Amino acid sequence: MTTYGTGSRILVTGGAGLVGSHLVDALLAKGCDVTAVDNFSTGSKANLDPHERLTVVEADVTEGLPVGEAPFDAVLHFACPASPVDFATLPVEILRVDSVGTLHALDRALADGARFLMASTSEVYGDPLVHPQPESYWGNVNPIGVRSCYDEAKRFSEAAVAAYHRHKGLDAAIVRIFNTYGPRMRPDDGRVVPSFISQALAGEPLTIHGDGSQTRSLCYVDDLVAGLVLLLESGEYGPVNLGTEYELTVREMAEVVLRLTGSSSTIEYTDRPSDDPERRRPDLTKARELLGYEPQVHYEAGLKSTIDDFVARRADGGIAVV
Ligand code: NAD
């Protein structure tokens, strides 16, 4: 168990993204000195408020980590486009950042004697045949499907972390993140929550893929970040699932968003994309036992604050209103 705080030097790749930027905020609040590396491909500089203990480096982690010589105490690897839209438009970039980029981040952690935390995903379970998914489940992934650039790159990253941990003695941890949402999401990133909120606020129909009976368990970003800090400080290797267990159907999500936004948008049903998982829910037993993790934020409260953020960004021009 190590507590990170004043004087701790932490490197966060992907620090300008949804999860990365909230993680940076939490580490700054603990007193850490944080370096965030990001190429702003899917994240935004606007997600990071200036702070005296924050250094922001614009760089592509697949080309290395231009972050100086002073050693870090922890390297947290979160750089990777993560939405279904990105799977279609950035498949090669995703494969590179979660292979070459991961190796660069691992090498830096090894050289510095730092703890390493890798952001993996529930997608390593593919379209799961076991429900809910425990960490011991090996998954059901289509290696050449439309999501495979992401799923297989993350599986490669996990294998790389396992090799550095097992063969080089790296102090490492793997977290498998389930469906996380919150303020700062890109309105057009194609994930279900920002899509529904953007459509509802624009008065456009909410598009549901299939009949909307497929389920997702939504985790508010603050709950995820609390779990990430617990894992970082625990010294545990994992892999550990983080998310929430409460399952909502996609149709229920659309109805909640309509109610919370007061929108009179209709709901439209379209074809399901291929390899779209039917159900996803983490088994959180290990997270509870190892970390004492317990998500706190009800989905209505989390959706409300995400909607408030979208409304504020639309008002100040941060989100284009068409
Ligand atoms: P995001 O797209 O908001 O953040 C990713 C960040 O990485 C962005 O700021 C992007 O600009 C940056 N990036 C991408 N490629 C880069 C590169 N080559 N070099 C430097 N920076 C690069 O996505 P997110 O939801 O915040 O996801 C963060 C991490 O968590 C990812 O590794 C993702 O796979 C993982 N994850 C997220 C979820 C979720 O539900 N949000 C679920 C599972 C896993």
Side-chain angles (χ1 to χ4, degrees):
M1 172 93 195
T2 307
T3 304
Y4 295 87
T6 307
S8 305
R9 283 178 37 84
I10 311 232
L11 173 62
V12 182
T13 74
L18 165 69
V19 177
S21 66
H22 287 275
L23 182 57
V24 166
D25 287 349
L27 294 167
L28 289 170
K30 284 169 69 66
C32 303
D33 295 312
V34 181
T35 300
V37 180
D38 204 293
N39 67 353
F40 308 123
S41 58
T42 57
S44 163
K45 228 176 225 166
N47 289 339
L48 292 169
D49 288 333
H51 191 289
E52 58 184 0
R53 281 182 280 102
L54 172 64
T55 306
V56 180
V57 178
E58 181 170 359
D60 182 335
V61 299
T62 66
E63 290 166 11
L65 289 164
V67 288
E69 303 279 302
F72 291 98
D73 299 299
V75 175
L76 316 182
H77 184 43
F78 281 75
C80 182
S83 88
V85 168
D86 304 327
F87 305 165
T89 55
L90 300 169
V92 177
E93 288 82 352
I94 290 172
L95 284 161
R96 286 181 64 79
V97 72
D98 254 310
S99 54
V100 180
T102 301
L103 294 175
H104 283 314
L106 282 165
D107 284 334
R108 178 65 194 231
L110 194 65
D112 289 1
R115 178 152 168 82
F116 184 86
L117 176 59
M118 188 245 151
S120 187
T121 169
S122 57
E123 296 275 342
V124 298
Y125 301 124
D127 193 357
L129 305 176
V130 169
H131 197 78
Q133 294 85 54
E135 292 85 350
S136 54
Y137 178 52
W138 290 353
N140 176 40
V141 173
N142 175 355
I144 54 166
V146 292
R147 306 171 86 93
S148 66
C149 58
Y150 186 68
D151 302 1
E152 296 292 13
K154 289 290 184 186
R155 288 166 72 98
F156 172 89
S157 280
E158 288 203 11
V161 176
Y164 275 65
H165 177 64
R166 195 173 294 128
H167 297 290
K168 296 178 187 279
L170 180 71
D171 174 13
I174 297 170
V175 53
R176 294 185 180 150
I177 301 169
F178 282 66
N179 240 304
T180 298
Y181 71 98
R184 303 179 184 157
M185 288 189 101
R186 281 180 296 151
D188 57 352
D189 90 352
R191 286 181 268 190
V192 62
V193 168
S195 297
F196 284 169
I197 295 176
S198 302
Q199 289 166 331
L201 293 178
E204 292 166 0
L206 274 57
T207 25
I208 290 184
H209 301 309
D211 65 2
S213 61
Q214 67 273 33
T215 67
R216 296 291 182 268
S217 41
L218 295 182
C219 182
Y220 188 62
V221 68
D222 287 359
D223 278 334
L224 174 71
V225 167
L228 294 174
V229 172
L230 286 171
L231 177 59
L232 172 68
E233 297 191 334
S234 69
E236 295 288 344
Y237 168 61
V240 182
N241 290 335
L242 289 180
T244 56
E245 287 160 329
Y246 190 82
E247 270 181 286
L248 276 175
T249 68
V250 170
R251 196 172 335 110
E252 284 168 332
M253 272 182 223
E255 284 159 4
V256 177
V257 169
L258 286 178
R259 179 161 49 77
L260 293 178
T261 52
S263 168
S264 51
S265 291
T266 55
I267 293 181
E268 262 178 25
Y269 295 87
T270 63
D271 291 341
R272 286 278 293 279
S274 59
D275 297 332
D276 189 32
E278 191 56 39
R279 296 180 78 186
R280 275 281 171 70
R281 177 155 69 93
D283 181 331
L284 294 177
T285 309
K286 198 169 169 184
R288 284 201 178 92
E289 286 177 2
L290 288 182
L291 311 176
Y293 170 75
E294 200 61 62
Q296 305 291 327
V297 181
H298 188 272
Y299 66 85
E300 288 224 6
L303 286 171
K304 179 79 177 65
S305 65
T306 309
I307 289 166
D308 290 347
D309 168 68
F310 274 52
V311 169
R313 282 190 286 155
R314 282 167 67 89
D316 73 12
I319 294 178
V321 181
V322 284

